[in-house]
Amino acid sequence: MSDSQDKIAEKISSGRTSLGIEFGSTRIKAVLIDDERNTIATGDYGWQSHLVDGLWSYDVDKIWRGLQSVYADVADRVEAQYGQKLVRIGQIGFSAMMHGYLAFNEDGELLVPFRTWQNTNTSEAHERLSQLFQYNIPERWSIAHLYQAVLNDEPHIGSVRYFTTLAGYVHWKLTGRKVLGVGDASGMFPIDPQTKTYEQDFIERFDALPEVAAQPWKLEDLLPEPLVAGTPAGELTAKGAALLDPSGVLQSGVALAPPEGDAGTGMVATNSVRRRTGNVSAGTSIFATVVLEHKLSTLRPEVDLVTTPAGDLAGMSHANNFTSDLNAWINLFREFAQLNGGSVSDADLYGELFRSAISEQADPDAGGMLAYPFRTGEFLAGLAEGRPLFVREPEARFNLANFMRAQLFGAFSPVTIGMNVMTHDEGVQIDSLVGHGGIFATPVVAQRILAAAFDTPIRVMTTASEGGAWGMAVLAGYLRHADTPLADYLDDVVFANAQSVTEDPQSADVEGFRMFFARFMQALPVERTAVECMPIGAE
């Protein structure tokens, strides 16, 4: 082995490592890092949700099968590359997609199949609780699932003695501790940013509801204990070690970090936990999160309120729709190229089309065109369903550059609705936003468009990380540095030498997007009419 491999092998054998495992919606990923946050080995396991009695769920056996699979990947790669069996790990942390509903009885038995964040059967609970608290309780939040089960008088509801998130469930089974990172807990029930625990007044209001008061439990007794980042959250038990590593090689006693949600690990992975900073995570869906300096002045349904792993309040604009329709149009251009005997890579295809959107041939406002990316429903736009639409004025400047600019403007418009509520209506100040996701792979373009949409500089890090699982591994390693505030630790240690590229908003782009967005909002009735007049599956 090389000197560098010998150095890493020594770190592995001495336990100077941290393991982060994140359960995403389409894959489970593991990342093992050393004490300098360098990635040593990774593991990956694909999975997907499915409908059980009309509700989206994941099989519990696949939770454990996937966990063991990604851990085995890491252990096998460590042994193959560094000649070390993974006997010791310094720290471990688990994270997962937030929200959802895993409810257990007093014997620890799961009462109903895991209900994920994707379910929207909780609209009544969302509306009632949001009004009760004067605080936005989205449909996907755990408390909305619990309360909807109460409203529906589901047979299992009287037997509930504990409920938690996916990350909290895995952590509980491996440590015996019913705890949760405060960021993940903030997607179960509102958190008071001063006390870093649940809003006590809200708990009392909830328990006082007649239909809740009739239950044989109090809410406070059902919730996991919230912990801020850096707080010891238990140790890997012998039973937990055997569950994680059935081969029996891994020793028990490993320190575990508080289990976190994917929003929190995204904040860590993009160094966006300090107040007035934020990140934009762009993929099939998109969300923009900003760490707030104060609570919002009133109920804002367009803004989800969560916290950082350190317990500071953050506002999130979450849009269900982002790149699905854009990708469909790109594929159409790929088909055309193939008809003409052309073969073009994704990088070249996306690159050429994206760059046209900021070329001299593009008008600042996309030349009178509109693109609605709504493949599915969109709460921010008041849509229960979606129909992708492209609309243009009769005299629009219909060229490729304007078409692509409209597609990109349209993709970023839904998330802008919630962001405008924060910045325009609530006066939220933003010093920096970090963009991450595949759309930023083409240099400059998406950054520049997003800078125009938010009228804020957008930074993209050139040092690639492993995403949320890497962020969770960093949080696990933070257990050894908890005497330093998390924001300072990330600034001064983790990202001290990180390189990034920043695009500042250009005045012409900002004004062009403002004009486009005004038309986008004004013409939303066209989208609603399309939903009404084009029922899915109609003959």
Side-chain angles (χ1 to χ4, degrees):
M1 290 192 297
S2 66
D3 290 343
S4 62
Q5 285 178 306
D6 285 338
K7 182 180 178 181
I8 293 174
E10 190 278 326
K11 290 184 177 184
I12 294 168
S13 64
S14 60
R16 290 157 58 193
T17 55
S18 298
L19 176 66
I21 298 179
E22 182 157 283
F23 292 76
S25 57
T26 58
R27 66 174 182 162
I28 305 169
K29 186 162 187 178
V31 176
L32 183 71
I33 63 174
D34 64 16
D35 54 358
E36 296 177 277
R37 280 75 52 195
N38 300 307
T39 297
I40 297 173
T42 65
D44 196 280
Y45 179 87
W47 72 338
Q48 61 183 5
S49 58
H50 59 279
L51 286 170
V52 177
D53 297 328
L55 296 174
W56 291 105
S57 183
Y58 291 87
D59 293 330
V60 171
D61 65 329
K62 286 190 177 179
I63 295 173
W64 302 113
R65 193 185 313 160
L67 177 65
Q68 293 167 358
S69 175
V70 296
Y71 180 83
D73 283 350
V74 168
D76 290 345
R77 288 169 185 172
V78 164
E79 185 170 10
Q81 192 163 356
Y82 303 103
Q84 296 284 329
K85 286 191 176 295
L86 203 52
V87 177
R88 300 175 59 193
I89 297 175
Q91 302 81 218
I92 298 176
F94 296 100
S95 60
M97 49 190 145
M98 292 174 67
H99 320 300
Y101 182 70
L102 282 150
F104 303 88
N105 64 16
E106 60 184 354
D107 296 323
E109 298 168 332
L110 187 65
L111 292 169
V112 291
F114 170 33
R115 297 174 181 179
T116 78
W117 63 272
Q118 298 161 299
N119 291 297
T120 58
N121 63 307
T122 56
S123 58
E124 184 181 3
H126 147 69
E127 292 172 2
R128 288 197 186 193
L129 293 179
S130 296
Q131 289 302 315
L132 177 68
F133 302 147
Q134 285 299 291
Y135 188 105
N136 187 29
I137 304 295
E139 293 175 345
R140 59 186 179 278
W141 279 31
S142 304
I143 189 61
H145 285 275
L146 177 73
Y147 186 47
Q148 193 66 52
V150 170
L151 292 174
N152 294 346
D153 196 23
E154 294 192 31
H156 80 276
I157 198 63
S159 301
V160 178
R161 293 298 178 268
Y162 179 55
F163 77 122
T164 189
T165 65
L166 177 54
Y169 169 60
V170 172
H171 183 96
W172 171 37
K173 291 301 181 182
L174 296 187
T175 66
R177 294 283 305 276
K178 294 179 178 180
V179 299
L180 208 56
V182 67
D184 204 8
S186 71
M188 289 193 72
F189 193 85
I191 292 287
D192 181 343
Q194 299 302 316
T195 64
K196 315 297 185 188
T197 189
Y198 302 112
E199 288 273 8
Q200 190 60 40
D201 177 54
F202 291 178
I203 287 180
E204 292 171 3
R205 291 189 217 176
F206 182 82
D207 283 339
L209 291 168
E211 58 272 26
V212 174
Q215 302 301 323
W217 44 255
K218 296 290 186 182
L219 178 60
E220 199 163 22
D221 298 329
L222 305 186
L223 288 162
E225 178 188 0
L227 302 175
V228 297
T231 305
E235 294 183 347
L236 187 67
T237 64
K239 184 178 179 181
L243 191 55
L244 180 60
D245 178 22
S247 73
V249 173
L250 179 64
Q251 294 179 350
S252 60
V254 181
L256 263 76
E260 264 299 344
D262 50 1
T265 57
M267 294 179 201
V268 170
T270 57
N271 191 19
S272 304
V273 303
R274 193 179 294 280
R275 291 175 183 175
R276 296 173 60 130
T277 68
N279 71 93
V280 181
S281 178
T284 304
S285 63
I286 180 172
F287 59 86
T289 306
V290 180
V291 186
L292 305 176
E293 297 176 277
H294 51 74
K295 293 182 178 180
L296 302 184
S297 64
T298 187
L299 170 63
R300 300 289 188 183
E302 304 87 353
V303 180
D304 297 356
L305 292 170
V306 294
T307 77
T308 71
D312 293 315
L313 199 63
M316 178 191 296
S317 174
H318 182 281
N320 292 335
N321 296 272
F322 186 56
T323 58
S324 292
D325 192 46
L326 176 64
N327 290 337
W329 282 106
I330 298 290
N331 286 333
L332 193 68
F333 287 114
R334 177 185 285 108
E335 286 187 32
F336 178 75
Q338 291 170 345
L339 284 175
N340 286 271
S343 177
V344 58
S345 68
D346 277 355
D348 288 340
L349 182 62
Y350 278 84
E352 289 295 331
L353 291 171
F354 276 25
R355 283 189 289 272
S356 71
I358 59 171
S359 68
E360 293 182 356
Q361 287 71 44
D363 293 311
D365 68 342
M369 302 184 193
L370 278 178
Y372 288 106
F374 301 119
R375 184 173 181 269
T376 66
E378 187 63 74
F379 177 83
L380 288 169
L383 297 169
E385 298 179 28
R387 303 291 185 272
L389 285 178
F390 175 72
V391 184
R392 65 187 177 96
E393 299 170 5
E395 298 300 320
R397 285 225 319 144
F398 191 26
N399 60 18
L400 180 63
N402 279 333
F403 177 82
M404 287 307 303
R405 193 172 180 89
Q407 292 296 329
L408 288 166
F409 273 4
F412 280 113
S413 287
V415 74
T416 301
I417 297 172
M419 182 60 78
N420 282 352
V421 170
M422 284 193 277
T423 57
H424 297 172
D425 300 341
E426 288 288 339
V428 171
Q429 299 295 308
I430 305 172
D431 291 335
S432 68
L433 279 175
V434 177
H436 59 112
I439 198 166
F440 298 106
T442 299
V444 179
V445 181
Q447 267 183 276
R448 182 169 152 184
I449 297 294
L450 184 56
F454 290 175
D455 195 10
T456 300
I458 302 296
R459 187 161 55 96
V460 172
M461 294 183 180
T462 56
T463 50
S465 74
E466 297 291 346
W470 181 85
M472 191 63 242
V474 169
L475 281 173
Y478 178 63
L479 285 172
R480 294 181 177 271
H481 304 273
D483 55 336
T484 301
L486 180 60
D488 292 343
Y489 176 68
L490 295 178
D491 277 346
D492 301 337
V493 180
V494 178
F495 293 97
N497 299 312
Q499 297 179 333
S500 62
V501 176
T502 300
E503 283 293 323
D504 293 319
Q506 298 185 17
S507 57
D509 289 340
V510 172
E511 177 60 17
F513 183 83
R514 186 194 65 76
M515 295 169 64
F516 176 93
F517 186 72
R519 293 199 309 270
F520 183 96
M521 297 301 292
Q522 182 181 11
L524 267 176
V526 175
E527 174 71 21
R528 297 189 182 102
T529 301
V531 172
E532 294 171 5
C533 297
M534 296 178 63
I536 295 175
E539 295 182 358

